[in-house]
mmCIF file of all heavy atoms in Angstrom:
data_model
loop_
_atom_site.group_PDB
_atom_site.id
_atom_site.type_symbol
_atom_site.label_atom_id
_atom_site.label_comp_id
_atom_site.label_asym_id
_atom_site.label_seq_id
_atom_site.Cartn_x
_atom_site.Cartn_y
_atom_site.Cartn_z
ATOM 1 N N ILE A 223 4.354 3.284 7.164
ATOM 2 C CA ILE A 223 4.958 2.308 8.013
ATOM 3 C C ILE A 223 4.550 2.453 9.405
ATOM 4 O O ILE A 223 4.121 1.574 10.109
ATOM 5 C CB ILE A 223 6.401 2.301 7.838
ATOM 6 C CG1 ILE A 223 6.954 1.901 6.446
ATOM 7 C CG2 ILE A 223 7.127 1.251 8.846
ATOM 8 C CD1 ILE A 223 8.472 2.005 6.153
ATOM 9 N N VAL A 224 4.697 3.734 9.887
ATOM 10 C CA VAL A 224 4.274 4.059 11.264
ATOM 11 C C VAL A 224 2.818 3.864 11.574
ATOM 12 O O VAL A 224 2.421 3.144 12.563
ATOM 13 C CB VAL A 224 4.778 5.503 11.537
ATOM 14 C CG1 VAL A 224 4.152 6.010 12.840
ATOM 15 C CG2 VAL A 224 6.284 5.623 11.490
ATOM 16 N N ILE A 225 2.023 4.389 10.715
ATOM 17 C CA ILE A 225 0.516 4.379 11.052
ATOM 18 C C ILE A 225 -0.035 2.983 10.958
ATOM 19 O O ILE A 225 -0.964 2.644 11.822
ATOM 20 C CB ILE A 225 -0.166 5.369 10.192
ATOM 21 C CG1 ILE A 225 -1.544 5.809 10.751
ATOM 22 C CG2 ILE A 225 -0.561 4.764 8.771
ATOM 23 C CD1 ILE A 225 -1.469 6.666 11.918
ATOM 24 N N TYR A 226 0.387 2.162 9.938
ATOM 25 C CA TYR A 226 -0.219 0.776 9.865
ATOM 26 C C TYR A 226 0.367 -0.153 10.968
ATOM 27 O O TYR A 226 -0.218 -0.954 11.353
ATOM 28 C CB TYR A 226 -0.004 0.382 8.432
ATOM 29 C CG TYR A 226 -0.952 1.019 7.483
ATOM 30 C CD1 TYR A 226 -0.578 1.959 6.716
ATOM 31 C CD2 TYR A 226 -2.377 0.611 7.454
ATOM 32 C CE1 TYR A 226 -1.378 2.739 5.803
ATOM 33 C CE2 TYR A 226 -3.232 1.304 6.601
ATOM 34 C CZ TYR A 226 -2.813 2.260 5.781
ATOM 35 O OH TYR A 226 -3.732 2.946 4.981
ATOM 36 N N SER A 227 1.645 0.081 11.381
ATOM 37 C CA SER A 227 2.216 -0.680 12.388
ATOM 38 C C SER A 227 1.480 -0.382 13.700
ATOM 39 O O SER A 227 1.232 -1.204 14.518
ATOM 40 C CB SER A 227 3.740 -0.425 12.590
ATOM 41 O OG SER A 227 4.426 -0.770 11.370
ATOM 42 N N ALA A 228 1.140 0.894 13.914
ATOM 43 C CA ALA A 228 0.455 1.373 15.121
ATOM 44 C C ALA A 228 -0.952 0.729 15.135
ATOM 45 O O ALA A 228 -1.462 0.379 16.175
ATOM 46 C CB ALA A 228 0.375 2.896 15.074
ATOM 47 N N MET A 229 -1.561 0.513 13.951
ATOM 48 C CA MET A 229 -2.926 -0.134 13.895
ATOM 49 C C MET A 229 -2.820 -1.531 14.512
ATOM 50 O O MET A 229 -3.849 -1.984 15.113
ATOM 51 C CB MET A 229 -3.375 -0.099 12.578
ATOM 52 C CG MET A 229 -3.984 1.179 12.098
ATOM 53 S SD MET A 229 -4.818 1.026 10.497
ATOM 54 C CE MET A 229 -4.486 2.646 9.799
ATOM 55 N N VAL A 230 -1.759 -2.236 14.205
ATOM 56 C CA VAL A 230 -1.723 -3.592 14.738
ATOM 57 C C VAL A 230 -1.686 -3.600 16.294
ATOM 58 O O VAL A 230 -2.332 -4.399 16.957
ATOM 59 C CB VAL A 230 -0.442 -4.258 14.272
ATOM 60 C CG1 VAL A 230 -0.279 -5.744 14.888
ATOM 61 C CG2 VAL A 230 -0.455 -4.431 12.716
ATOM 62 N N ALA A 231 -0.940 -2.635 16.888
ATOM 63 C CA ALA A 231 -0.953 -2.423 18.341
ATOM 64 C C ALA A 231 -2.265 -2.004 18.751
ATOM 65 O O ALA A 231 -2.781 -2.571 19.825
ATOM 66 C CB ALA A 231 0.181 -1.403 18.642
ATOM 67 N N ALA A 232 -2.987 -1.106 18.138
ATOM 68 C CA ALA A 232 -4.288 -0.672 18.603
ATOM 69 C C ALA A 232 -5.279 -1.798 18.485
ATOM 70 O O ALA A 232 -6.229 -1.884 19.235
ATOM 71 C CB ALA A 232 -4.768 0.448 17.817
ATOM 72 N N LEU A 233 -5.173 -2.764 17.545
ATOM 73 C CA LEU A 233 -6.036 -3.781 17.347
ATOM 74 C C LEU A 233 -5.874 -4.691 18.586
ATOM 75 O O LEU A 233 -6.914 -5.202 19.186
ATOM 76 C CB LEU A 233 -5.750 -4.565 16.163
ATOM 77 C CG LEU A 233 -6.524 -4.331 14.893
ATOM 78 C CD1 LEU A 233 -6.044 -5.188 13.715
ATOM 79 C CD2 LEU A 233 -8.008 -4.736 15.164
ATOM 80 N N LEU A 234 -4.658 -4.881 19.104
ATOM 81 C CA LEU A 234 -4.396 -5.834 20.219
ATOM 82 C C LEU A 234 -5.023 -5.080 21.495
ATOM 83 O O LEU A 234 -5.697 -5.812 22.317
ATOM 84 C CB LEU A 234 -2.914 -5.964 20.361
ATOM 85 C CG LEU A 234 -2.227 -6.901 19.326
ATOM 86 C CD1 LEU A 234 -0.685 -6.814 19.589
ATOM 87 C CD2 LEU A 234 -2.805 -8.324 19.510
ATOM 88 N N VAL A 235 -4.879 -3.839 21.579
ATOM 89 C CA VAL A 235 -5.438 -3.172 22.729
ATOM 90 C C VAL A 235 -6.996 -3.208 22.649
ATOM 91 O O VAL A 235 -7.629 -3.454 23.695
ATOM 92 C CB VAL A 235 -4.976 -1.685 22.629
ATOM 93 C CG1 VAL A 235 -5.707 -0.843 23.674
ATOM 94 C CG2 VAL A 235 -3.562 -1.549 23.042
ATOM 95 N N GLY A 236 -7.511 -2.954 21.510
ATOM 96 C CA GLY A 236 -8.919 -2.937 21.367
ATOM 97 C C GLY A 236 -9.537 -4.330 21.664
ATOM 98 O O GLY A 236 -10.646 -4.427 22.385
ATOM 99 N N TYR A 237 -8.945 -5.395 21.184
ATOM 100 C CA TYR A 237 -9.401 -6.665 21.543
ATOM 101 C C TYR A 237 -9.296 -7.017 22.936
ATOM 102 O O TYR A 237 -10.114 -7.606 23.617
ATOM 103 C CB TYR A 237 -8.685 -7.721 20.677
ATOM 104 C CG TYR A 237 -9.284 -9.088 20.804
ATOM 105 C CD1 TYR A 237 -10.441 -9.584 20.199
ATOM 106 C CD2 TYR A 237 -8.572 -10.097 21.640
ATOM 107 C CE1 TYR A 237 -10.855 -10.786 20.279
ATOM 108 C CE2 TYR A 237 -9.093 -11.436 21.687
ATOM 109 C CZ TYR A 237 -10.249 -11.737 21.080
ATOM 110 O OH TYR A 237 -10.763 -12.968 21.267
ATOM 111 N N GLY A 238 -8.228 -6.494 23.544
ATOM 112 C CA GLY A 238 -8.032 -6.751 25.084
ATOM 113 C C GLY A 238 -9.132 -5.965 25.801
ATOM 114 O O GLY A 238 -9.591 -6.556 26.899
ATOM 115 N N ILE A 239 -9.627 -4.743 25.455
ATOM 116 C CA ILE A 239 -10.510 -4.142 26.157
ATOM 117 C C ILE A 239 -11.909 -4.557 25.819
ATOM 118 O O ILE A 239 -12.723 -4.771 26.801
ATOM 119 C CB ILE A 239 -10.483 -2.609 25.776
ATOM 120 C CG1 ILE A 239 -9.097 -2.086 26.244
ATOM 121 C CG2 ILE A 239 -11.604 -1.822 26.383
ATOM 122 C CD1 ILE A 239 -8.954 -0.604 25.723
ATOM 123 N N TYR A 240 -12.234 -4.807 24.637
ATOM 124 C CA TYR A 240 -13.645 -5.111 24.227
ATOM 125 C C TYR A 240 -13.902 -6.625 23.886
ATOM 126 O O TYR A 240 -15.054 -7.052 23.886
ATOM 127 C CB TYR A 240 -13.968 -4.290 23.007
ATOM 128 C CG TYR A 240 -13.762 -2.781 23.198
ATOM 129 C CD1 TYR A 240 -12.862 -2.152 22.337
ATOM 130 C CD2 TYR A 240 -14.447 -2.015 24.160
ATOM 131 C CE1 TYR A 240 -12.534 -0.737 22.488
ATOM 132 C CE2 TYR A 240 -14.175 -0.658 24.319
ATOM 133 C CZ TYR A 240 -13.261 0.014 23.431
ATOM 134 O OH TYR A 240 -12.946 1.212 23.671
ATOM 135 N N GLY A 241 -12.877 -7.299 23.692
ATOM 136 C CA GLY A 241 -13.115 -8.783 23.323
ATOM 137 C C GLY A 241 -13.975 -8.983 22.052
ATOM 138 O O GLY A 241 -14.719 -10.024 21.931
ATOM 139 N N TYR A 242 -13.931 -7.952 21.114
ATOM 140 C CA TYR A 242 -14.811 -8.022 19.957
ATOM 141 C C TYR A 242 -13.853 -8.380 18.762
ATOM 142 O O TYR A 242 -12.971 -7.763 18.515
ATOM 143 C CB TYR A 242 -15.409 -6.702 19.687
ATOM 144 C CG TYR A 242 -16.220 -6.687 18.439
ATOM 145 C CD1 TYR A 242 -17.440 -7.261 18.323
ATOM 146 C CD2 TYR A 242 -15.917 -5.697 17.367
ATOM 147 C CE1 TYR A 242 -18.161 -7.327 17.154
ATOM 148 C CE2 TYR A 242 -16.627 -5.666 16.227
ATOM 149 C CZ TYR A 242 -17.824 -6.423 16.101
ATOM 150 O OH TYR A 242 -18.587 -6.450 14.987
ATOM 151 N N PHE A 243 -14.290 -9.396 17.969
ATOM 152 C CA PHE A 243 -13.609 -9.882 16.774
ATOM 153 C C PHE A 243 -14.444 -9.552 15.642
ATOM 154 O O PHE A 243 -15.508 -10.133 15.388
ATOM 155 C CB PHE A 243 -13.370 -11.417 16.843
ATOM 156 C CG PHE A 243 -12.663 -11.891 15.671
ATOM 157 C CD1 PHE A 243 -11.305 -11.797 15.636
ATOM 158 C CD2 PHE A 243 -13.326 -12.570 14.629
ATOM 159 C CE1 PHE A 243 -10.604 -12.274 14.599
ATOM 160 C CE2 PHE A 243 -12.658 -13.122 13.534
ATOM 161 C CZ PHE A 243 -11.261 -12.920 13.432
ATOM 162 N N PRO A 244 -14.012 -8.620 14.770
ATOM 163 C CA PRO A 244 -14.821 -8.119 13.636
ATOM 164 C C PRO A 244 -14.735 -9.004 12.463
ATOM 165 O O PRO A 244 -14.027 -8.701 11.526
ATOM 166 C CB PRO A 244 -14.306 -6.663 13.372
ATOM 167 C CG PRO A 244 -12.874 -6.768 13.762
ATOM 168 C CD PRO A 244 -12.830 -7.781 14.846
ATOM 169 N N VAL A 245 -15.523 -10.065 12.436
ATOM 170 C CA VAL A 245 -15.385 -11.030 11.284
ATOM 171 C C VAL A 245 -15.853 -10.383 10.042
ATOM 172 O O VAL A 245 -15.239 -10.655 8.969
ATOM 173 C CB VAL A 245 -16.297 -12.304 11.619
ATOM 174 C CG1 VAL A 245 -16.285 -13.206 10.430
ATOM 175 C CG2 VAL A 245 -15.821 -13.088 12.824
ATOM 176 N N GLY A 246 -16.857 -9.496 10.098
ATOM 177 C CA GLY A 246 -17.299 -8.803 8.875
ATOM 178 C C GLY A 246 -16.240 -7.999 8.246
ATOM 179 O O GLY A 246 -16.379 -7.771 7.010
ATOM 180 N N ALA A 247 -15.305 -7.533 8.992
ATOM 181 C CA ALA A 247 -14.194 -6.728 8.308
ATOM 182 C C ALA A 247 -13.454 -7.427 7.211
ATOM 183 O O ALA A 247 -12.950 -6.878 6.269
ATOM 184 C CB ALA A 247 -13.293 -6.190 9.421
ATOM 185 N N LEU A 248 -13.356 -8.775 7.367
ATOM 186 C CA LEU A 248 -12.660 -9.617 6.506
ATOM 187 C C LEU A 248 -13.418 -9.635 5.108
ATOM 188 O O LEU A 248 -12.776 -9.580 3.990
ATOM 189 C CB LEU A 248 -12.515 -11.054 6.985
ATOM 190 C CG LEU A 248 -11.799 -11.173 8.291
ATOM 191 C CD1 LEU A 248 -11.773 -12.653 8.648
ATOM 192 C CD2 LEU A 248 -10.414 -10.607 8.308
ATOM 193 N N PHE A 249 -14.713 -9.667 5.193
ATOM 194 C CA PHE A 249 -15.492 -9.539 3.960
ATOM 195 C C PHE A 249 -15.627 -8.177 3.326
ATOM 196 O O PHE A 249 -15.723 -8.108 2.135
ATOM 197 C CB PHE A 249 -16.972 -10.127 4.200
ATOM 198 C CG PHE A 249 -16.872 -11.624 4.515
ATOM 199 C CD1 PHE A 249 -16.558 -12.111 5.857
ATOM 200 C CD2 PHE A 249 -17.185 -12.591 3.517
ATOM 201 C CE1 PHE A 249 -16.465 -13.445 5.969
ATOM 202 C CE2 PHE A 249 -16.996 -13.947 3.801
ATOM 203 C CZ PHE A 249 -16.674 -14.367 4.996
ATOM 204 N N THR A 250 -15.578 -7.170 4.095
ATOM 205 C CA THR A 250 -15.465 -5.799 3.650
ATOM 206 C C THR A 250 -14.164 -5.776 2.848
ATOM 207 O O THR A 250 -14.035 -5.077 1.816
ATOM 208 C CB THR A 250 -15.434 -4.783 4.715
ATOM 209 O OG1 THR A 250 -16.763 -4.922 5.508
ATOM 210 C CG2 THR A 250 -15.349 -3.343 4.164
#
Side-chain angles (χ1 to χ4, degrees):
I223 297 177
V224 169
I225 200 70
Y226 287 100
S227 298
M229 279 187 212
V230 176
L233 261 175
L234 291 171
V235 170
Y237 186 73
I239 295 173
Y240 307 117
Y242 176 68
F243 180 80
V245 177
L248 304 180
F249 289 83
T250 303

